[in-house]
Amino acid sequence: MATTWPQRTYVSGRKTQQQQQQPVVRSDPTLPGQTLTFVQKIKGFVSFYKTGLKELLSNSRAVTGIRTRMGAGQDITREELQIERRNPRDKLRLIPFGFLVVVIPELIPLTIWLFPGVCPSTCVTYSQVVKMARKQDQRRQQIHPAALERIKSFGLRPDDFAHKADISSMATRHPEADILFFERISHEDVRLLNEFVGVQIKRSDGGAAASLKRHLEYLRLDDRLLAKEGLADRLPLTELHRACQDRGIPSADYSEAHLRAALRAWLLLASDTKTADSAMLPILWSRLVLFQNSAKMQ
């Protein structure tokens, strides 16, 4: 059966088992399908941000228990994985964003529109996620030609990445292609892949290669949890965009059905890969090389 690569939420404040309470309920005023007056939108934004701050505080209390369970090799949910991953950065944004919510809540939408980096992930609206995704997709469009040149230099063509079976066996069939092996891939190619998936490189974290390896480790665990919990067809729309962006799947200008099909295709392909970091490299190159195409994987 053929699986198609399409052409071109938010995480709730779920507690650990020791801290379970009623989940936070809130509505994103920017989600599609709503008809709101100006006043309703303003009230919706204020409510959304205040509840998001409560969720951030709840997540901060839960993250220690999540990490303890992860360190002990115990199972966690995908929601808990996202809390563990996002909470450190969210806490850095808590004070400046909390000040805005308390002092000038009516100006928060404008402030975040101008300075999206000030907003914790629990307070990012759907429209903001799409805006950031569009910016990243535009950057991917710019580096797409460079990716084509890189695979061409190793005798590979875009069609070589079009089929699931070919991607899974690519490293075996092309042992001379350095771009497919972490121990031989160049620093420039690592930076290209990091830029494509949106990984921020920090020298304090070990540099470009270490940053990419950590991202691949995260994706392997996230892929496993998405598949285990059957979430490809159930993720909230905002979280669906985030999951696609993490994998280099363009999302800003595509339908929900299209994104869910793309995520299912990724999970199907990732399920056949080995656990080694290099096994994920052909998948990343396939997304980069086929960025503009609708490719069928047989």
Side-chain angles (χ1 to χ4, degrees):
M1 181 178 64
T3 303
T4 301
W5 277 122
Q7 182 179 10
R8 103 150 131 210
T9 149
Y10 114 91
V11 179
S12 67
R14 185 167 182 172
K15 311 293 189 300
T16 59
Q17 293 177 350
Q18 294 82 6
Q19 297 175 303
Q20 285 186 1
Q21 300 175 5
Q22 286 296 107
V24 176
V25 178
R26 60 195 174 112
S27 177
D28 183 342
T30 70
L31 283 170
Q34 301 181 88
T35 302
L36 302 175
T37 65
F38 178 77
V39 173
Q40 287 175 325
K41 282 188 176 182
I42 293 298
K43 290 182 177 179
F45 276 120
V46 173
S47 175
F48 180 84
Y49 294 133
K50 286 184 176 180
T51 310
L53 281 179
K54 293 180 182 178
E55 184 189 344
L56 192 162
L57 295 173
S58 174
N59 291 348
S60 297
R61 291 191 294 269
V63 72
T64 300
I66 294 172
R67 288 174 177 168
T68 299
R69 289 163 53 207
M70 292 178 68
Q74 299 178 13
D75 290 339
I76 62 171
T77 66
R78 184 181 188 268
E79 282 184 316
E80 290 170 332
L81 174 64
Q82 298 306 316
I83 290 173
E84 191 278 333
R85 182 172 182 249
R86 298 170 184 168
N87 189 253
R89 284 174 291 181
D90 285 346
K91 287 194 292 187
L92 294 177
R93 299 163 180 163
L94 175 59
I95 294 178
F97 188 77
F99 176 81
L100 288 175
V101 171
V102 173
V103 178
I104 46 174
E106 294 80 6
L107 295 182
I108 289 178
L110 176 61
T111 303
I112 292 178
W113 183 260
L114 296 174
F115 308 103
V118 74
C119 189
S121 67
T122 56
C123 299
V124 175
T125 65
Y126 167 78
S127 64
Q128 291 161 350
V129 168
V130 172
K131 178 186 176 183
M132 291 184 288
R134 183 172 291 111
K135 183 177 180 180
Q136 180 64 25
D137 289 348
Q138 290 171 350
R139 182 55 188 150
R140 289 171 177 142
Q141 181 70 50
Q142 293 171 355
I143 66 178
H144 174 68
L148 295 180
E149 289 299 318
R150 288 304 294 152
I151 68 164
K152 183 179 178 181
S153 69
F154 289 99
L156 298 171
R157 301 170 303 159
D159 288 348
D160 294 328
F161 295 85
H163 301 282
K164 176 175 176 289
D166 292 341
I167 297 174
S168 299
S169 63
M170 183 167 291
T172 302
R173 293 184 294 106
H174 297 279
E176 75 290 348
D178 293 347
I179 60 174
L180 303 178
F181 301 91
F182 248 114
E183 58 270 22
R184 305 204 311 262
I185 190 172
S186 70
H187 181 71
E188 291 73 19
D189 289 328
V190 169
R191 292 184 66 89
L192 186 68
L193 291 174
N194 274 328
E195 189 170 4
F196 181 73
V197 293
V199 173
Q200 296 182 349
I201 303 172
K202 297 180 180 180
R203 291 185 178 181
S204 59
D205 292 338
S211 297
L212 182 58
K213 284 187 177 183
R214 277 192 297 273
H215 188 70
L216 294 181
E217 290 172 359
Y218 155 71
L219 287 182
R220 280 201 299 272
L221 178 54
D222 195 45
D223 288 343
R224 181 172 63 82
L225 293 175
L226 283 169
K228 178 182 177 180
E229 299 175 26
L231 293 176
D233 293 322
R234 297 191 295 110
L235 282 178
L237 189 56
T238 302
E239 194 62 24
L240 175 63
H241 276 265
R242 284 171 164 162
C244 288
Q245 286 293 313
D246 282 344
R247 291 158 175 80
I249 300 171
S251 66
D253 298 304
Y254 301 95
S255 68
E256 177 180 347
H258 187 99
L259 297 184
R260 294 195 187 282
L263 185 57
R264 286 195 300 269
W266 171 284
L267 294 176
L268 181 62
L269 180 57
S271 67
D272 284 347
T273 63
K274 300 177 181 178
T275 57
D277 292 321
S278 291
M280 294 286 288
L281 291 179
I283 303 180
L284 288 186
W285 282 108
S286 74
R287 296 309 310 144
L288 216 171
V289 170
L290 301 176
F291 183 75
Q292 295 178 314
N293 300 79
S294 177
K296 290 184 177 180
M297 294 187 306
Q298 302 294 339

